[in-house]
Amino acid sequence: EIAAANSLSDVYAMGGKPLLAMNIVGFPVTLDKDILGEVLKGGYSKASEAECLIVGGHTVDDPEPKYGLSVVGTVEPGKQVTNAAAQPGDVLVLTKPLGTGIITTAGKQGVCTPQVLQGAVATMSTLNRDGANAMVKVGVHSATDVTGFGLMGHLQSMVRGSRVGAEIQLGNVPVLPGVWDLLKQGVAPGGTHRNLQSVAGSAQWHPDLSEREQLLLCDAQTSGGLLISVPKAKLDQLLSELSVSGVQTRAVIGGITAESPGRISASP
């Protein structure tokens, strides 16, 4: 379900509607095929929730199990939402908490409680459909889904593509329960560390932000939320639509500036 939700998010981030998808599977012949059946049922369940048809797929022998969807969707021409059209004065809204990379890594290491892991599973398996519908209804300038490159990495792409700057405040960024404790234990995936290195040329870190806090903002997410750049005049309307749609997280984390194009200022 998480893999399917993650695959569908790229269409939602553009304000589109998923129509159909194909399973892409790598599976070792040595494993019980019943496991593969359960994997496919999970993907089918989440695609059905999205009203997206699974129309076939491809399965190959692979020593490491892999699963995802190749998704096709539609969007009305001229109404697509890009990640390169943010405008100075926009407000940045995030629709899911951060920390899934840290928590899942802790799960693999056996240092994560079931409750903390379940919290991450719940957010990762939630579709971005309702958030996408809300932003399309309101009309926003730009959006992206937050996945493997982390919040800072995806925001970096937005400000570079839009030729603007951005400011974010860590204190306003939602964080999954248990993440700070895991960071204190030194738990963070390799991808998160690489993300921190990759934004070195764009990030202006406040001196009071610790490396742990910087890592959180760069944490490699799976099936993360939408990062939406909305005109300030439409902020209240967007937050209201997100609430009515049932989107649990509606965090105002910063804004877009005309100064320092391609740069992100991060403060406590």
Side-chain angles (χ1 to χ4, degrees):
E1 289 190 2
I2 292 168
N6 188 60
S7 300
L8 293 159
S9 279
D10 290 309
V11 173
Y12 288 134
M14 295 184 68
K17 174 179 173 55
L19 285 184
L20 54 87
M22 297 185 71
N23 289 318
I24 307 295
V25 182
F27 198 79
V29 294
T30 53
L31 270 185
D32 189 336
K33 298 302 184 294
D34 288 344
I35 298 173
L36 176 58
E38 291 301 312
V39 170
L40 295 176
K41 284 179 183 177
Y44 174 81
S45 172
K46 191 55 58 173
S48 296
E49 182 183 337
E51 298 180 331
C52 177
L53 296 174
I54 292 184
V55 295
H58 300 280
T59 306
V60 297
D61 180 19
D62 191 329
E64 182 181 59
K66 300 177 178 71
Y67 174 73
L69 297 177
S70 174
V71 184
V72 175
T74 60
V75 66
E76 185 175 339
K79 291 190 176 181
Q80 65 270 22
V81 181
T82 82
N83 67 347
Q87 300 293 319
D90 284 357
V91 179
L92 292 170
V93 176
L94 183 64
T95 66
K96 283 188 184 182
L98 299 185
T100 59
I102 292 162
I103 290 174
T104 53
T105 296
K108 294 173 187 175
Q109 296 176 358
V111 295
C112 182
T113 66
Q115 292 82 1
V116 168
L117 186 58
Q118 186 53 45
V121 169
T123 188
M124 289 188 291
S125 58
T126 299
L127 292 172
N128 278 322
R129 174 191 57 197
D130 296 337
N133 289 341
M135 75 175 184
V136 169
K137 184 174 182 179
V138 170
V140 303
H141 282 150
S142 195
T144 182
D145 57 332
V146 180
T147 50
F149 295 115
L151 173 64
M152 289 291 288
H154 288 282
L155 181 55
Q156 176 179 258
S157 295
M158 182 181 286
V159 297
R160 285 179 174 177
S162 306
R163 299 181 181 179
V164 295
E167 298 175 345
I168 59 173
Q169 293 81 45
L170 173 65
N172 295 332
V173 175
V175 183
L176 284 165
V179 169
W180 289 118
D181 289 338
L182 293 170
L183 278 167
K184 289 176 183 177
Q185 297 174 44
V187 178
T192 296
H193 286 278
R194 290 190 292 273
N195 287 343
L196 179 57
Q197 295 170 3
S198 73
V199 300
S202 300
Q204 296 175 308
W205 299 109
H206 190 282
D208 289 343
L209 286 179
S210 67
E211 183 181 15
R212 286 197 297 262
E213 292 169 327
Q214 294 175 28
L215 282 170
L216 172 77
L217 293 175
C218 294
D219 188 35
Q221 303 299 281
T222 295
S223 191
L226 298 176
L227 177 64
I228 303 170
S229 181
V230 59
K232 191 172 184 179
K234 293 184 176 182
L235 174 61
D236 289 344
Q237 184 185 358
L238 176 63
L239 295 177
S240 176
E241 287 293 338
L242 289 171
S243 178
V244 169
S245 298
V247 178
Q248 298 299 309
T249 299
R250 307 175 295 276
V252 177
I253 66 169
I256 299 296
T257 67
E259 297 79 29
S260 304
R263 304 280 287 180
I264 306 166
S265 173
S267 60

